Amino acid sequence: MKTILITGGAGFIGSHVVRLFVNKYPDYRIINLDALTYAGNLANLKDIEDRPNYEFVKADICDFDTVYRLMQDKNVDGIVHLAAESHVDRSIKDPFTFARTNVLGTLSLLQAARLYWESLPERYEGKRFYHISTDEVYGALELTCPEGVEPPFRTAASSGEHHLAYGTEFFLETTKYNPHSPYSASKASSDHFVRAFHDTYGMPTIVTNCSNNYGPYQFPEKLIPLFINNIRHRKALPVYGKGENVRDWLYVEDHARAIDLIFHKGTIADTYNIGGFNEWKNIDLIRVLINTVDRLLGRKEGEDLNLITFVTDRAGHDLRYAIDSRKLQRELGWEPSLQFEEGIEKTVRWYLEHQDWLDQVTSGDYQHYYERMYIDRG
């Protein structure tokens, strides 16, 4: 039985990856390692918490001794590393926490894995350290349209299809790193450590950089769940600047599928970009959210557009991110399964049908789920 350690598995993306691995690989033992900080919520995994091939361990990835013992005690064969501080606004206010978790936490995992795997007779054979990063390490792209063409315009995407884009440049796996926020700087540093452990020690590593994710179980400090909840309660929708910033959006379950594929079939020491070929200006995305929420709540479509409130722009706010994921599609056959309009409809419906989950998170009650779960089990 293979033992796979997934860090940050109680978070947004991590919970989808844990669920996928637990359901798809009954012959694997899946260990979910999470410190249960504010963004970790075990209620995200309520449907699989009693599965025989699933185990939760509450620990901090920065605690090297605990992580090293866990590697030894559980005979860990592979690591899918998602645990990270990820909110840019929080990184601006508290960069030290981001450096600690994202840089030193990753280094702790790398060193624990190296020491354990190198102690085995087979050493690195059959082992893998998969590090999930972000497109923000690349910096920002300009709105560079062909002469005489106004954005958005149609450009080539996956499988010969076309999508709307706001520029002619895209982030490639070879794009030079140029982080602009404490968050992206911390992720860039962790990426470098992962690659250095391959080059120095021969550790079998893989790095992926993904665009913005959306979907169920996302902590409602992020734009889409925050605004769905605010529209529901008719609260103000604070939009940075004029809402002109462009992001590439990917449905979270498509990201989980990509992680599964890359973990099992990706090339060691390689990098893969994961994106949705799905660019939206923030203000246009917010209007779609308002119209969708209003319609599904039985309100007049667009009734709550007046909730949009423009606020002072974020410091160092990158203008545009856009991932080119054609390498992943070409080499491993992955591509997004949902069109954005379909994904947004599905996402809004989920949050409106799980208002108890939203209410527990926004009230803070979710933080007691871990204690209640183990009290119930005696």
Side-chain angles (χ1 to χ4, degrees):
M1 176 180 283
K2 279 191 175 182
T3 299
I4 310 301
L5 177 67
I6 300 177
T7 70
F12 168 45
I13 300 172
S15 63
H16 286 275
V17 175
V18 167
R19 181 178 293 102
L20 174 62
F21 273 59
V22 167
N23 288 331
K24 186 174 180 180
Y25 302 106
D27 56 334
Y28 284 12
R29 176 168 57 174
I30 305 302
I31 300 174
N32 173 11
L33 175 66
D34 199 296
L36 295 185
T37 60
Y38 78 94
N41 184 358
L42 285 178
N44 297 352
L45 293 164
K46 189 175 182 179
D47 56 317
I48 59 109
E49 66 186 15
D50 292 321
R51 295 290 181 85
N53 64 329
Y54 170 71
E55 180 180 350
F56 172 71
V57 175
K58 185 176 186 294
D60 185 343
I61 59 172
C62 294
D63 183 349
F64 171 79
D65 291 338
T66 296
V67 173
Y68 186 41
R69 283 197 302 271
L70 183 67
M71 293 287 299
Q72 296 172 306
D73 293 345
K74 303 298 183 181
N75 301 314
V76 173
D77 298 295
I79 296 175
V80 179
H81 177 33
L82 287 133
E85 296 285 346
S86 65
H87 195 252
V88 175
D89 287 348
R90 288 179 182 262
S91 80
I92 293 171
K93 294 177 182 177
D94 181 17
F96 284 103
T97 295
F98 282 69
R100 177 183 181 275
T101 299
N102 297 352
V103 183
L104 294 181
T106 300
L107 180 56
S108 171
L109 282 168
L110 285 164
Q111 182 72 343
R114 180 181 78 84
L115 293 178
Y116 171 60
W117 289 339
E118 288 186 351
S119 73
L120 301 175
E122 70 273 21
R123 290 176 61 84
Y124 291 128
E125 184 179 350
K127 307 299 187 284
R128 185 157 296 195
F129 189 107
Y130 179 178
H131 175 67
I132 286 84
S133 188
T134 172
D135 57 358
E136 296 189 42
V137 298
Y138 296 125
L141 296 169
E142 297 296 328
L143 305 183
T144 53
C145 299
E147 186 175 351
V149 176
E150 293 294 323
F153 62 95
R154 293 201 171 272
T155 186
S158 60
S159 303
E161 298 174 355
H162 289 72
H163 78 303
L164 292 177
Y166 285 81
T168 55
E169 288 186 286
F170 298 88
F171 294 138
L172 303 172
E173 288 81 0
T174 55
T175 298
K176 182 180 177 180
Y177 275 28
N178 187 25
H180 293 153
S181 71
Y183 162 59
S184 56
S186 69
K187 290 298 290 184
S189 178
S190 66
D191 295 1
H192 291 320
F193 267 108
V194 173
R195 294 188 177 104
F197 265 64
H198 170 268
D199 294 346
T200 304
Y201 306 109
M203 181 181 285
T205 63
I206 292 179
V207 176
T208 56
N209 301 83
C210 190
S211 59
N212 283 32
N213 281 215
Y214 70 98
Y217 298 112
Q218 188 170 26
F219 193 81
E221 67 180 354
K222 297 298 181 78
L223 189 151
I224 288 179
L226 172 65
F227 279 29
I228 290 172
N229 202 36
N230 281 13
I231 297 164
R232 169 190 162 211
H233 292 292
R234 288 198 157 120
K235 293 182 178 180
L237 307 177
V239 180
Y240 283 127
K242 297 180 180 179
E244 296 292 308
N245 301 77
V246 175
R247 298 292 180 262
D248 174 24
W249 293 91
L250 178 67
Y251 191 65
V252 64
E253 291 181 4
D254 283 334
H255 188 189
R257 286 193 305 105
I259 290 171
D260 173 31
L261 183 64
I262 295 166
F263 179 78
H264 288 94
K265 297 184 178 180
T267 301
I268 295 298
D270 213 343
T271 300
Y272 297 90
N273 281 347
I274 310 172
F277 286 109
N278 182 38
E279 294 180 55
W280 284 77
K281 278 189 178 181
N282 285 346
I283 191 63
D284 294 333
L285 169 63
I286 292 162
R287 290 181 180 127
V288 169
L289 281 176
I290 292 171
N291 290 336
T292 306
V293 174
D294 282 347
R295 173 169 49 81
L296 293 178
L297 288 178
R299 301 172 184 172
K300 181 180 177 182
E301 193 166 304
E303 181 177 340
D304 290 310
L305 287 168
N306 63 332
L307 296 175
I308 294 175
T309 304
F310 294 103
V311 298
T312 303
D313 205 357
R314 169 195 288 163
H317 199 179
D318 292 332
L319 180 60
R320 172 177 173 251
Y321 303 144
I323 282 281
D324 186 333
S325 57
R326 284 179 291 181
K327 173 183 174 179
L328 175 59
Q329 295 167 336
R330 182 176 63 251
E331 294 187 6
L332 298 181
W334 174 92
E335 60 183 21
S337 67
L338 291 179
Q339 296 296 319
F340 187 62
E341 291 78 1
E342 181 185 0
I344 281 293
E345 179 89 9
K346 188 174 180 179
T347 298
V348 171
R349 284 187 181 277
W350 187 90
Y351 283 104
L352 295 181
E353 291 170 1
H354 293 80
Q355 294 183 21
D356 56 336
W357 183 91
L358 264 175
D359 291 340
Q360 287 173 6
V361 173
T362 53
S363 70
D365 287 347
Y366 75 101
Q367 293 180 313
H368 304 295
Y369 184 87
Y370 174 74
E371 289 80 4
R372 290 197 303 269
M373 182 175 71
Y374 283 93
I375 289 172
D376 291 344
R377 293 179 176 183

